[in-house]
Amino acid sequence: MFPKKIFTLLTFLIISFSNISNVYSIEPDIFVQSTVNRAAKTLSGNFSKNERIEKLKEIAKDTVDINGIGFYTLGAYRKTINDTQLEKYKILFEQYFLKSFSSRLAEYSNPEIEVISKKKLNENYTMVYSILAGTDQRPEVKINWRIYTKNPNIPVIRDLVIEGLSLARTQKEEFSSIIESNDGDIEALFATLRDFIK
């Protein structure tokens, strides 16, 4: 028979692990605020621009569903390309997204973003509402974060809606325009992404 102390310890561990999802679930609004705080710390730190860019890329990899956004922005064309092209697109889109995200955000010295509320849209999505504080150089900006919460332990960002404009939808329309203007040739999009990455 197990000694009483060992039995008690095993019981405690079983109960603990059975409730691990509740212990470690992250509320979407807390997730967003911690993410923006992390970015603000990077932007206000004593780093070179290149160092900021690399740190911001790491934050994006940790918090953004880059593959999910990439598939969404590819739209219906995702169903018309082969597996090799899809893998090529995933690699190019990640490089494109990280460069676009980090290079733009690196220009800010200390963005002050405050989460003000959240709204659960369904079992998989929660919208988190925030405000980017205005300065002498820019007005106040409303930023809504579309958070994918199918796994409550690992929430991820699926879209930003800035003053009513969805960045993911805008990107999808831009990619679709590039492909359509080239007679449906996905390689034209690949070439555009490579040019941006360079």
Side-chain angles (χ1 to χ4, degrees), residues 49-114:
K49 183 175 181 180
N50 286 339
E51 288 173 331
R52 286 181 181 177
I53 287 173
E54 291 306 311
K55 289 179 179 296
L56 290 170
K57 285 181 180 180
E58 290 303 314
I59 294 173
K61 289 177 183 179
D62 291 343
T63 61
V64 179
D65 184 3
I66 300 176
N67 278 339
I69 295 174
F71 288 149
Y72 172 80
T73 55
L74 193 57
Y77 293 102
R78 178 186 173 187
K79 299 178 181 180
T80 64
I81 63 178
N82 59 46
D83 291 342
T84 300
Q85 290 173 319
L86 185 59
E87 285 303 312
K88 185 187 297 184
Y89 172 75
K90 286 169 62 177
I91 293 170
L92 287 172
F93 182 81
E94 178 171 331
Q95 293 174 342
Y96 164 85
F97 178 88
L98 291 174
K99 181 175 181 179
S100 176
F101 167 85
S102 59
S103 59
R104 291 176 183 174
L105 195 56
E107 299 298 328
Y108 288 92
S109 58
N110 188 17
E112 295 182 16
I113 298 178
E114 179 184 0

Side-chain angles (χ1 to χ4, degrees), residues 1 22 27 35 41 47 54 60 62 90 94 103 105 157 163:
M1 293 181 64
N22 292 327
E27 288 300 315
T35 300
K41 184 177 180 180
F47 304 112
E54 291 306 311
D62 291 343
K90 286 169 62 177
E94 178 171 331
S103 59
L105 195 56
I157 300 165
E163 291 293 336

Side-chain angles (χ1 to χ4, degrees), residues 105-160:
L105 195 56
E107 299 298 328
Y108 288 92
S109 58
N110 188 17
E112 295 182 16
I113 298 178
E114 179 184 0
V115 170
I116 54 177
S117 64
K118 64 179 176 181
K119 180 180 180 181
K120 186 173 182 177
L121 304 179
N122 52 50
E123 289 302 315
N124 293 337
Y125 287 98
T126 296
M127 191 69 80
V128 175
Y129 303 92
S130 69
I131 296 290
L132 172 63
T135 66
D136 293 338
Q137 288 75 40
R138 66 169 188 268
E140 179 182 275
V141 179
K142 295 179 181 178
I143 304 176
N144 302 337
W145 309 68
R146 188 175 179 86
I147 307 300
Y148 186 58
T149 53
K150 185 175 182 179
N151 182 346
N153 303 333
I154 312 174
V156 285
I157 300 165
R158 276 277 178 91
D159 191 15
L160 290 183

Side-chain angles (χ1 to χ4, degrees), residues 31-48:
F31 164 70
V32 170
Q33 189 66 68
S34 65
T35 300
V36 297
N37 289 349
R38 185 178 168 191
K41 184 177 180 180
T42 296
L43 293 169
S44 61
N46 187 25
F47 304 112
S48 68

